[in-house]
Amino acid sequence: QQTTLLFRIRNILSSLYPSLQFFTTRDIQPLYYFPKKRPTAFISYKEKDITKRFFVEYVPAHTSVSAIKSKLKQYIRYYEDDGWAVTDTPFPIIL
């Protein structure tokens, strides 16, 4: 269900924003500069001369608050460790 939902979202976004690139966890697996626990998806969107990047997390309705907090703490640690700096781009927005 999650995979189907993500691809439906990707298809909708891609039809609205032709320059949007949507990458699944599998697509970004070999990229060392991503967080160790990969996001559900990664989006890159170019608008005029600005590229916006997003880490996308799928959070099922039944997910506990503690699990959500844990995932956010992982992102905080990753941000503080400056792992994204090798890309020489601003840190992605987390959705």
Side-chain angles (χ1 to χ4, degrees):
Q1 276 183 317
Q2 175 182 337
T3 303
T4 302
L5 175 64
L6 285 172
F7 280 106
R8 284 177 41 214
I9 291 169
R10 182 204 62 185
N11 290 342
I12 292 167
L13 290 173
S14 294
S15 69
L16 295 171
Y17 306 99
S19 67
L20 181 131
Q21 295 179 303
F22 189 100
F23 304 92
T24 65
T25 300
R26 183 181 295 179
D27 296 329
I28 60 176
Q29 198 61 41
L31 304 174
Y32 71 93
Y33 50 84
F34 275 84
K36 193 175 278 188
K37 186 165 181 354
R38 303 293 195 253
T40 306
F42 177 74
I43 294 174
S44 179
Y45 170 66
K46 189 167 186 169
E47 183 178 57
K48 297 182 183 172
D49 293 336
I50 299 171
T51 301
K52 298 177 183 180
R53 293 172 181 84
F54 306 88
F55 290 140
V56 180
E57 285 298 331
Y58 174 75
V59 181
H62 65 274
T63 304
S64 69
V65 172
S66 63
I68 295 168
K69 284 182 180 179
S70 175
K71 185 64 177 179
L72 289 172
K73 286 179 185 178
Q74 289 174 8
Y75 277 116
I76 290 168
R77 279 193 304 276
Y78 176 72
Y79 177 81
E80 289 173 345
D81 290 344
D82 212 15
W84 190 256
V86 299
T87 67
D88 200 30
T89 62
F91 193 82
I93 296 166
I94 300 169
L95 299 176

